[in-house]
Amino acid sequence: MKMPCWYYEKKDLRNTPSVKEGIDFDTERRYRKEGARFIMECGTAMGLGHNTMATGIVYFHRFYMFHSFRTFPRYVTACCCLLLAGKVEETPKKVKDIIKTAKGLLSEQKFLSFGDDPKEEVMTLERILLQTIKFDLQVDHPYGFLVKYAKCFKGDSTKLQKMVQMAWNFVNDSLSTTVCLQWEPEIIAVALIHLASKLSKFTVTDWTGKQPNHLRWWDMFVADVTMEILEDICHQVLDLYQQANNNAPTPDSPPQLPPSKASPPMKRAHLASPATKPEPTLVTPVKIGDDKLDSGAPIPKIISTDNLHYPYSAPYPPMYSHPPPYGSTAPPLPGAIPSASSTYPPSLFQQSSSAVPQHYTPSALPLGHPPAHASTYYQGPPGRQPYYPPPT
């Protein structure tokens, strides 16, 4: 059975079922961000790991590429995604416990979307979720790649650890965007390490396994990724902080009916799924050599690397209480998702900067073939072949 491709162009993200049913693009982005934040809050309250929460959020984003927010309330869907992610990541939680946690986090008006029998709503929606994602349950995240890449870097161990923690924070926040629907986790990890490197003023100039043909460190892992792609990912993540600084009041969403009352269950079960969705439009191939060879190519224009502090003046809401000033780790605000502190990766460099595992011999991704650890959905459409060209 051919597995679906989960990567889309930006024009596909502007033509989702929600948009077709009259929800504007900015509102849908807000719904996605609220759903992702809710999954993080529920998962944190229940003691779930970052991989389980991230898997649930990816399910959430994929689900709404085929269904509308008008038909399926985001908070019910979020609970369903967290339930399924717990099973897949072997950290299962009972439905009643997830619903109890959700009820404590949501207002009474928002909890009305769970209906008279919240457990039945979530259980019913789980079957629809499985059909929608075509039982493609395995999801890779940037976290593992981030740590893998960082272990190859050489330099001051203290600065390197702070840079990795900052990149880890950006990966957490990237889940509130749709970058997981646009790019593979390897590329997201490269982009956010690059962003953290620029902001922390730690330039990676040497790394284990460096070859003469490697112009930048990521050439060893992912071939022919342009600086434009990396900057686009960085901009999408940084847009979260711009939105957080916007003092304009966010309108409350109208109360939603539970899924069982929004449309007949049998009708919902036969809504479009990856099995019936047409293939994504092919992207224009990228020519090798179009990239800027200068590793210091401009990173987001809304930031500055001339000082050690981020030029954001307004306080962040709980979800985005970071990035912290360079050189310090701010504790999360009350009620915040602990993406800035408690989910940091383990310390990578306890000794000197030369303490790199001797047994580690990195090698570039085999061209033309996904890595052995990649799941079947990793294979992109033919339009992405320039990033993984066939072997010669």
Side-chain angles (χ1 to χ4, degrees):
M1 181 177 64
K2 183 179 179 181
M3 301 308 291
C5 173
W6 294 112
Y7 300 111
Y8 303 87
E9 292 188 67
K10 287 187 176 180
K11 67 178 182 180
D12 296 320
L13 297 174
R14 289 181 172 272
N15 193 33
T16 60
S18 297
V19 173
K20 292 178 180 178
E21 291 194 6
I23 298 177
D24 63 85
F25 177 68
D26 290 334
T27 301
E28 182 182 6
R29 282 202 308 174
R30 177 167 64 87
Y31 287 173
R32 287 181 180 272
K33 183 171 69 176
E34 290 173 356
R37 174 176 180 174
F38 179 70
I39 290 175
M40 292 287 282
E41 289 177 339
C42 275
T44 300
M46 302 182 73
L48 294 173
H50 59 270
N51 272 330
T52 301
M53 293 184 284
T55 298
I57 293 172
V58 172
Y59 291 163
F60 182 86
H61 285 305
R62 291 178 178 180
F63 181 84
Y64 283 109
M65 290 304 296
F66 302 97
H67 301 289
S68 171
F69 281 98
R70 288 194 184 279
T71 305
F72 296 92
R74 56 192 177 283
Y75 297 114
V76 181
T77 304
C79 288
C80 177
C81 292
L82 191 59
L83 172 68
L84 181 59
K87 298 175 182 178
V88 173
E89 299 293 342
E90 299 183 357
T91 56
K93 294 295 182 182
K94 295 181 179 179
V95 181
K96 65 177 183 179
D97 294 334
I98 295 177
I99 293 174
K100 180 179 179 181
T101 303
K103 188 173 183 179
L105 294 173
L106 296 173
S107 64
E108 291 185 7
Q109 183 185 29
K110 291 179 179 179
F111 194 74
L112 289 176
S113 62
F114 285 80
D116 299 328
D117 190 349
K119 181 178 178 180
E120 182 62 26
E121 295 290 345
V122 173
M123 296 287 287
T124 301
L125 188 55
E126 184 184 26
R127 295 192 289 271
I128 300 174
L129 172 63
L130 285 167
Q131 293 175 3
T132 300
I133 64 177
K134 205 176 178 181
F135 294 87
D136 187 6
L137 303 175
Q138 184 63 38
V139 180
D140 288 331
H141 301 295
Y143 298 108
F145 297 105
L146 189 158
V147 176
K148 172 186 174 182
Y149 300 161
K151 285 182 177 179
C152 299
F153 299 158
K154 296 180 179 180
D156 183 272
S157 59
T158 302
K159 292 183 178 179
L160 178 55
Q161 181 66 26
K162 290 178 180 178
M163 186 270 286
V164 173
Q165 289 181 346
M166 187 180 296
W168 189 278
N169 296 340
F170 286 135
V171 171
N172 286 335
D173 290 342
S174 72
L175 294 169
S176 294
T177 73
T178 56
V179 294
C180 65
L181 297 178
Q182 301 173 53
W183 300 106
E184 295 84 353
E186 295 95 328
I187 298 177
I188 295 173
V190 168
L192 298 182
I193 291 175
H194 178 59
L195 175 59
S197 173
K198 288 291 183 180
L199 294 180
S200 64
K201 305 187 76 172
F202 178 86
T203 303
V204 180
T205 57
D206 193 15
W207 57 91
T208 305
K210 184 176 182 180
Q211 299 295 327
N213 62 322
H214 292 162
L215 300 177
R216 289 153 303 205
W217 64 265
W218 58 81
D219 291 334
M220 185 171 65
F221 301 104
V222 184
D224 307 320
V225 175
T226 66
M227 192 64 70
E228 286 77 9
I229 291 174
L230 300 185
E231 290 199 5
D232 177 65
I233 295 173
C234 294
H235 276 294
Q236 291 188 55
V237 174
L238 289 171
D239 280 346
L240 289 171
Y241 306 111
Q242 273 193 325
Q243 295 167 12
N245 285 337
N246 188 354
N247 294 325
T250 302
D252 288 334
S253 304
Q256 290 182 284
L257 294 174
S260 60
K261 296 181 179 180
S263 61
M266 293 303 295
K267 179 181 178 181
R268 290 201 320 274
H270 289 84
L271 292 177
S273 69
T276 60
K277 182 181 181 295
E279 290 292 328
T281 306
L282 300 182
V283 298
T284 304
V286 178
K287 297 180 180 179
I288 299 176
D290 287 349
D291 189 13
K292 300 186 181 88
L293 300 183
D294 177 17
S295 59
I299 256 276
K301 299 178 182 178
I302 64 172
I303 62 175
S304 170
T305 57
D306 295 334
N307 55 69
L308 298 181
H309 295 275
Y310 294 84
Y312 303 111
S313 56
Y316 297 101
M319 176 63 177
Y320 305 112
S321 55
H322 48 75
Y326 172 63
S328 65
T329 303
L333 299 177
I337 297 174
S339 60
S341 59
S342 65
T343 57
Y344 284 157
S347 179
L348 302 176
F349 302 90
Q350 297 295 339
Q351 303 175 8
S352 65
S353 59
S354 62
V356 179
Q358 298 300 319
H359 65 275
Y360 186 80
T361 304
S363 59
L365 289 172
L367 301 181
H369 303 279
H373 59 267
S375 62
T376 51
Y377 84 83
Y378 177 87
Q379 304 177 39
R384 289 258 168 94
Q385 284 301 102
Y387 302 113
Y388 306 97
T392 55

